[in-house]
Every structure is written in C-alpha cells, then in structure tokens.
Amino acid sequence: MSSQVETETKPEIEDPEKKKKKEEKAKAKELKKLKALQKAEAAKLQAQQTLSNASKKSERKVKRDAEEENSEDFIDPETPFGEKKSLSCKMAKQYNPSAVESSWYAWWENSGFFVADSSSSKPPFVIVLPPPNVTGALHIGHALTSALQDTMIRWRRMSGFNTLWVPGMDHAGIATQVVVEKKLMRERKVTRHDLGRENFVSEVWNWKNEYGGAILKQQRRMGASLDWSRECFTMDEKRSRAVTEAFVRLHKEGLIYRDLRLVNWDCVLRTAISDIEVDYEDIKVRTLLKVPGYEKPVEFGVLTSFAYPIEGGEEIVVATTRVETMLGDTAIAVHPDDERYSQFHGKFAIHPFNRRRIPIICDAILVDKNFGTGAVKITPAHDPNDFEVGKRHNLEFINIFTDDGKINSNGGPEFAGMPRFKAREAVLAALKEKGLYKGAKDNEMRLGLCSRTNDVVEPLIKPQWYVSCSGIAKEALDAVMDDENRKIEIIPRLYTADWKRWLENIRDWCISRQLWWGHRVPAWYVTLEDDKMKELGAYNDHWVVARNEEEAQMEASRMFRGKNFQMSQDPDVLDTWFSSGLFPLTVLGWPDDTQDLKVFYPTSVLETGHDILFFWVARMVMLGTKLGGDVPFRKVYLHPMIRDAHGRKMSKSLGNVIDPLEVINGISLEGLQKRLEEGNLDPSELVIAKEGQKKDFPNGIAECGADALRFALVTYTAQSDRINLDIQRVVGYRQWCNKLWNAIRFAMSKLGDDYTAPMNMVPDVMPFTCQWILSVLNKAISKTVSSMESYEFSDAASTVYSWWQFQLCDVFIEAVKPYFSSNDPEFASARKFAQDTLWVCLDNGLRLLHPFMPFVTEELWQRLPPARDCARKESIMISDYPSVVQCWTNERVEYEMDLLESTVKSLRSLRSLMPAKERHERRPAFVLCRTEAVAEIISSHELEILTLATLSSLKVLMEGDDAPTGCSVSVVNESISVYLKLQGALNVEAEREKLRKKMEEIRKQKEHLTQIISASGYQDKVPPRIREENVAKLSSLMQELLSFEQASQHLERDIAAEQEHH
C-alpha cells in the first residue's frame, strides 16, 4: 500500500515592519473562517429547503413547516404587551428571529431598565443619539449608529455605569418644509403662499404629529435601549426656549450680528444656505448639466468674451463664464500697470442694453494683467471677488435676480422675468446682434451646487444674521489639537487633520434661512414714525433682539425713548444646524441649571458619521464650550459610510438602497421591486434600479433579525472610512444564531431539569478540557473589554464570535460529549465538572455577547438555570458584564491544547483527502513524537484526540519506532507527524509530487531566512530578540525538512514493500 503525505507549515516569524501585514492577514483568515462557516450553513439550509420542497426564496415557509411539526410545547405562549415574555416549555428545534425578538423590548422598556437616574452614585456614561430628521425613515446608516451606540450603552450599563442614551428628533427645516409643500400641491393643489405663514406652519405641525417620528419607533425594532422618558424634539417648547436664549446671549456678547453680504442662494428653496451646504463640481471642458427647473441641460465650462463700447468710440473686451450677470455690471477693472489700458483710466464704458455709464477702475488686487484680456467685468452683487472690489471702490451694488432665479426689473425690460439660464442664451443672442460678441472657449471652473437640491448656487446680496466664528473656533480647535490640555479625542485619529484644516479656515456662519418652518429669529425691526425708508431692515441699527415680544417692546422703548414706532418680527428662521448644535445642552435642560445638566454634561461620547464632522460636530463643540462652559463630549467616534457590496454609494436610482427593516423581517424580490415602483424614480431610472435589484437580490432578502444585522454592522466597522455591505454576511450571522441556539439546546439536555449551577469554580481539580475552556474564556473577556475600551468594536465582536464558534462549539462541546454518552462510573465526576463548566461558559458567553445581540442572548439566558443560592437579576441587560477570573488562566493547558488542535487539524486534513464514502468511518491513527515532552502531552490527551478527530484508536510512536505502513502521513510541526490508516491504494506519483512540493516550499523558506541572516550588517542592524527568533525559526525549518525526508523514505519503503508483495 502507498502512503499519502500532507502538512501544514507554521507561519513565518515576521520582523516589526511586517507586523501590520501579519495582523491584516490574521483578519483575512478570520473572515475566511467566517465565510466558510456561512457557506456550510447556507448549504445546510438549502438542503433542508430542498427536502421540504420549499421555494428557495421563502425562508418563512421553511420556518412555518418546522413550527407545524412542533407540538404546542415548542411554541411560546402569547405575552400581554409590556409583560415579561412567556417562554415555551421546550426550546424550538430551530432559531426563529421573529419569534425570539418579540415581546422582550416592550418588557425592558416597561421595567424602566433604560431610564437613567440623575441621583445615582454610579459614574455616568452618556450618549446623545444624533437626532434623525422628523421626515426620515430608518436607513442603514441609522441602523449602524443604533447598533454601535446600543452596544456601547448596554456594555457600560452592565459594567456598573449610570447610562443615559437620549433620543431626540430634528425638525429638519428645509427637508420638512419641502415634504409638506409637495404634499399640499399633490393633494390640494395649493402652495404655502396660498395658505399664508400661520396656516402653513400649522399644517406642518399636523404632518409632524401624524407621520413624523416613525424613525424612533423603528429604533425600538433595532433593540435600541434609549431612555424614552427624556425624548425630545428640536422644536418642542423647552428646546425652542433654549434656542432663543442662546441667540439672545450670543447677540449680547457680539457673537451674533446682522450684515449685508453675499450669500449662497438656492433658487429652488428660495433661501440662503451655509458654505458647507455647497458641494463643488470641477468642470474641465464644456459640459451639459441637468439643472432643477430646466427642461434642457445647461452648458457650463465656457468662457465668453464680449466688448463694452467706451465713451468716445473705442471698445474694451472682457470675458466671463456667467454672461447673464453682465446685466448687473457696475465697473470694469484693469491693472494700474497695464499699459494697454492706460488711456482708459478714469473713462466710462456704456452698457449696451440700458446705457448705464460704467466706470473703468484700476485694481491691482483683483486683476491679473496676464490672464484673459486683462480687463475684468465687475458685478458686486453677484460675485464674491467683485463684492470686495465694490466695497473697495464704493461701487453701486445692483441685484438682477428674483429669489426664484429669474431676471428682475434691474435687468431691463428685454430680459425681465426670464429664468437665469434662459437669460444667458438671450443675452448672448443680443450681444451677437449688436456685434459685441467676441467668441467663446472651454474654461476650467468650479461650480457650486446645493447639497440638498442640486441647484446651481447663485451668489446674492442679502442681509442675514451671522455667528462670528473666529474666537469660538479657536477654542474648538484647541480642544482637539492641544496636546497639553486635550479635551476631546477624535477616533479614528486621521480625522483630526480635517478638523484642523476646517477650523483654521472657518468663515462666519450665516444662520438665517428664508423658510417658514423652524425657530423664528428672535429679532424685531423697529420702524420709527419719522424714518424716511419704511421697508423692513432699511436701517441696520433699528433691530432689537429679545426673548419675546414684550421684552423687545421694552428694549425698543428704551432705545428710541419718546419716539413713536412700530415693531415687526424678522420673518426668517434659524438654520436647523443652530438648534442641533445646542442639542447636547438642551436635551439635558439648559439653560436651566437642572440635575441632569449637572450630572450628565459633558456627555461621554458622540458617535456619528464623518460626513457631518463640520455641519454638526464642530458647531456643537463651539456652542457647547461657549454656552455650557465645557466641551459637549469627551470623545468623538466617527463611523464609516455604508456602501453596497460592490462599493457603490447607495442611491434610489441604482436600486441598491437597503432598508434595515427589510433585512430584519425579510422581503421577496417582488416586494423590493414594488417599493421602487412606489418611489418617485423616472421610468428610465426605474428600469436600471430594478435590474440592479434582480442582480443583487435574485431571491429577495432572507429574514435575518435585528441581532444578526447589528452584529454584522458592528463587525464591519474595521473597514476604514467605508463599509461595503454584503447582505450574505448578515445571513451568515443569522445562521450563526442558530448555532448558539443549538449550543443552549445541547446544554439544557445535558444539565437536566434539577441542575443547580455552582457558586464558584476550582479549575485545578477539573478535566483538562474544562480547564482549557475557562482559560480561553478569560482571554476572550479580557480582549473584548480592552477592544471596547479602545473603540475597536469590530475586534470586540470578532473576539466574542471566535470564542463561541471555534473554542466553545467546535472544541469544548465536542470534547465533552463522551462524558455524557457513557454511563461509565469513571466519567461521573468529569460529567459533573463538564456540566458546571458548560453552565459557566454559557452564562458568561451570553453576557459577553449581549451588548451586540440583545434579543437572542436575553431569551437564551432566561432559559439557563440560575446559580445556586444566588438571587439572579431580572434581565441579562442589567446583569454584570463578565470580568477576568485570575485563577482560570492556565498558559500550560492552553499550550497543550494548541498542540492537540494542530494534531487534530492535520488528521482531519488527511481524512478530507479520502474518497467521499470512506471519510466518515472511524479509523486507527498514529502520532510520531520527536521529544519525550510532546509524547507525554499527546499520550495524556488520547481521549480528546480520539473524540475530536473521530478515530477508532490512537498509538503514540517515538523517533526510533518503526513507522506504520499503509498510512497517509502529515507533518504537524518539527516535533509531530501523524499517520492515518488507509483502506485502498492511492496514486503513488501524486503522493510523491505532493511531498516534493512541500519540501520545496520549506527549502525556499529556509534559503530566504539564511539569506537574511547572512546579509551584511545583520548583526548590527537587527535587534537581538528578532535575531534569536530567526535562529529558532531556522532550526525549526531544518527539523521540519528532516521530518519530510523521513516521511519521503517511509513512502518509498511502503512502495517497495507493496511491489515485493506483488
């Protein structure tokens, strides 16, 4: 008979430079294991489905069938809402997420487990949930936020902290106003202007009360343990009072002021937007873009030249990318040193359409004489640079646009009423007609677009309220960057560079918006009886800022003593981000000196997406420091952005938007497509979106449950700044829940009805496997806690997963089965120890996993018998988080189990190479040990190896013993080779080739290491520790090579014996 050879080479020892690669490799390996598990479980599930003739896409039907098989004993009785869940007397045979995840949440909430106590002596741990928009529905980004924050909160709650997680909702000024305006137009064919302000605002409140806030209900489905008793809304009475107070205080300190400046104007929304709400698109050449409100695309990236006639008969040529703005030109600038134009200094050009005299001015700051024609048209009311020129030269500021982007009467009767980009074409045609058009060429430019509407932003001159940012931004910058006195840590650290860049270049923040839904600006304009100009805002010193109209009246009477006046409140509202920026203060009761504010401010951590670092995070830090006297949080954890499995942004038009509730509950492909049809995609987009869905979800999305979705999202956070979400990974974790379920079912069957758990464990007297599982449980607890403390949530989740999967289920549960399957009195004490260890592992393991998977862990923990003479907490969520038990750690036992596992793995590898029909038979095996110490370890753990490798017998051989014949062989390491008895003859040449390849691989590793050691300067440059490791590695490789040569000789000897026999 011939011999078969198989080996596993040990990982090479890396030098420090390669450490990172090594860690990445380990992560990849972990992922590979997970994928293999998912694949196996998926295959198992598919087989079950095929057997029951269920349709592939209907996982629910499989579940229904399973339930029909079960008797009443397996079905949970109905639980009245808010009461503790009633569990079936027997555990269902399969894990069913919808059955497991029902009833628990209402009971947790009803029991007050989520409520923080401001009089508690426990240390506080506080998170404010980033308030979702009142218009929003739960999307996958919210689900990630929810999963991460709840993991932190549940872990801290179990670790003895007074945890507070505050839920809230944002009134979302622009978004909500748009939603309600569309609804009014669709249902009643009216605009907000038809209704008037008061009626419109009351319509928005009606809409908010009826539809708003669905997202907070959806958070409950995710298992989010929020303190609902403190729920708030940015426009409720308390928050509105706080916003007014903040405005008044900041105005009093001179940090809020009113000014006439150029703003970013959105013609669709008809409001100013802040600088960071503008996205810039770089245009390289002539480009046609779709602009809201225009049927045909509009051309950008073109520099048009035209001439202005000069008084006295000559002309001067200027160039622009926005030719329509020439209707508001009030000067032409040239460089004072440009001799081409010296004869025009002090002269006037004549506007070709309205005959306005336009001065030719000299400006060395703006004009580059080498760019274009060297002459620049100046439109101070519609360009930031021209605005500054206008101020320097005291020019006229002429606004030519209406608020909705049409040409107004200042643009002249020829163009008035035209939308701005239609006017662009008309102005060009008119210039051509007058013979003033001088041509056009491609021009690289940056185009500002509103991040909300995609409208082309129009610079308009408008009076607005501003927050002066330079001083408060410096404090926010130092809070993160000052190494001596750092108040806030940003995680991941790489975002501190963005923080620094933005805050060092900050501009004053425009906080007024021309909307109706929002916090009305608490400022009143005073019109005096003897004012010449009566329109609102005509005189900047006539504004009064106050907490209410009564206070404003008193202040105005003081300012304008003895004069008759009328007052009217500013119609504008405040930027939504202003109220959101106050949120950590206002949710805790500011400006009142509440107990919550004293105990819970500053909050502990802000967890949010990196895309709103400036919109929201920086503003909270600026306002919190100024008004609250301290930074609003100590840490900022920025999670990655979620994309689809292919790395594409999620968008409705691609059909790749994933609704977390559809992952939790499951949905058919038809259901997914129906959702698309109900959206507002145009027909061509709908076709693309449907195709995308068919490709990605041919069978729809299987029901995964909240636990599996949460766990998948948390494990994904290791993926730097983006997550490529593959639903199959979520499905894999749902199948893993089934594994947990079965582990508890196994335990319940082995513990029995009368089992009582031990008070404490003494590992020294226990069987080896029990000692080992407690030691590695200790390691898992320690690694999980340290990962959580350093905000490495993915590592924490992977640690818990690996312990459950690869140590408890794959090794311990398998290894102790002989104690239960035999009535041998020899096993009686081992059986009791195994029961106790099993209970301790499940109790600790479920508590370890609870913050990540709250539902399934609660249900399984409630089924575990309580510990002896010990009052158990009502719920797992208020139990203690596991902590390391020093006496459980046993490095010797772990080392020995590593040897056993490597041996078992090699034997299983040999078995997997056998013909399919022979793989499941128990067969004899031999372990050749090259040292006495290793032989002793292997001999003393014969039962474990027999059990885990499914062998009929095991014999330990020493170096001098004859190697067994008719076996396949594998080299485990330099000290151990294993042999597995075969039945039939194998391909001799294939075995030789396999052996040759393995030896070649080891020779290469040996040569490479020898080369490194022999290199010049090795002794001086390489640290002694690395040199020692390399020598040990080299000796190990040489020993392994000898083992292979020995295996090769055995193979040849076997072949010769076989031939002689014939």
Side-chain angles (χ1 to χ4, degrees), residues 463-478:
Q464 302 284 335
W465 294 96
Y466 290 87
V467 175
S468 171
C469 289
S470 51
I472 52 177
K474 175 78 174 75
E475 286 187 64
L477 181 65
D478 291 345

Side-chain angles (χ1 to χ4, degrees), residues 776-1035:
V776 290
L777 170 59
N778 246 359
K779 275 216 169 101
I781 292 168
S782 171
K783 176 83 169 75
T784 304
V785 170
S786 66
S787 297
M788 293 285 266
E789 281 170 346
S790 52
Y791 292 81
E792 287 161 345
F793 303 111
S794 177
D795 287 356
S798 300
T799 301
V800 181
Y801 176 89
S802 297
W803 178 82
W804 267 99
Q805 180 62 43
F806 305 121
Q807 294 176 325
L808 184 74
C809 293
D810 288 358
V811 178
F812 178 74
I813 286 179
E814 294 305 316
V816 298
K817 279 181 179 174
Y819 301 153
F820 297 105
S821 58
S822 160
N823 287 325
D824 192 331
E826 193 190 320
F827 285 155
S829 90
R831 190 179 306 121
K832 178 71 182 99
F833 283 131
Q835 284 177 318
D836 291 349
T837 308
L838 188 55
W839 183 89
V840 165
C841 283
L842 295 175
D843 174 59
N844 276 275
L846 289 170
R847 285 184 286 125
L848 198 61
L849 180 60
H850 176 74
F852 306 94
M853 288 184 159
F855 294 106
V856 71
T857 50
E858 178 74 273
E859 177 127 345
L860 294 175
W861 187 80
Q862 293 286 354
R863 287 195 176 270
L864 279 184
R868 191 179 306 137
D869 308 326
C870 183
R872 184 157 83 157
K873 293 275 175 65
E874 251 187 297
S875 164
I876 190 171
M877 68 168 283
I878 52 170
S879 304
D880 293 340
Y881 202 66
S883 53
V884 170
V885 180
Q886 229 48 62
C887 70
W888 290 0
T889 298
N890 190 327
E891 295 295 344
R892 177 190 60 78
V893 163
E894 285 190 47
Y895 166 75
E896 290 184 11
M897 184 57 99
D898 283 349
L899 269 186
L900 262 62
E901 282 193 87
S902 305
T903 304
V904 167
K905 202 172 172 189
S906 293
L907 286 163
R908 283 178 176 171
S909 259
L910 292 179
R911 182 186 292 282
S912 71
L913 298 169
M914 292 179 169
K917 61 178 187 295
E918 294 177 27
R919 270 178 219 160
H920 303 295
E921 292 173 22
R922 288 180 176 269
R923 54 190 62 248
F926 305 86
V927 181
L928 172 62
C929 301
R930 293 186 179 80
T931 69
E932 288 288 344
V934 167
E936 200 176 311
I937 292 168
I938 299 295
S939 302
S940 60
H941 300 307
E942 190 181 325
L943 176 64
E944 286 87 350
I945 298 172
L946 280 169
T947 306
L948 295 171
T950 330
L951 305 173
S952 58
S953 66
L954 180 73
K955 188 175 180 187
V956 176
L957 307 171
M958 295 304 292
E959 192 84 270
D961 296 344
D962 285 343
T965 56
C967 293
S968 56
V969 59
S970 170
V971 176
V972 178
N973 57 30
E974 72 273 19
S975 310
I976 300 175
S977 295
V978 292
Y979 297 81
L980 190 64
K981 206 70 164 156
L982 295 172
Q983 279 183 348
L986 286 170
N987 184 323
V988 169
E989 279 314 309
E991 296 311 311
R992 275 188 181 135
E993 180 58 17
K994 197 186 296 173
L995 195 53
R996 191 192 61 73
K997 274 187 181 167
K998 296 286 183 189
M999 288 168 77
E1000 188 57 33
E1001 204 179 293
I1002 290 183
R1003 277 199 195 96
K1004 275 185 187 164
Q1005 286 184 37
K1006 179 178 160 256
E1007 280 164 23
H1008 176 65
L1009 196 55
T1010 309
Q1011 229 172 344
I1012 290 171
I1013 292 171
S1014 318
S1016 64
Y1018 174 80
Q1019 295 295 329
D1020 309 322
K1021 292 176 190 167
V1022 178
R1025 185 180 58 80
I1026 302 291
R1027 293 206 304 269
E1028 280 167 29
E1029 283 176 5
N1030 283 346
V1031 168
K1033 173 69 183 162
L1034 190 61
S1035 130

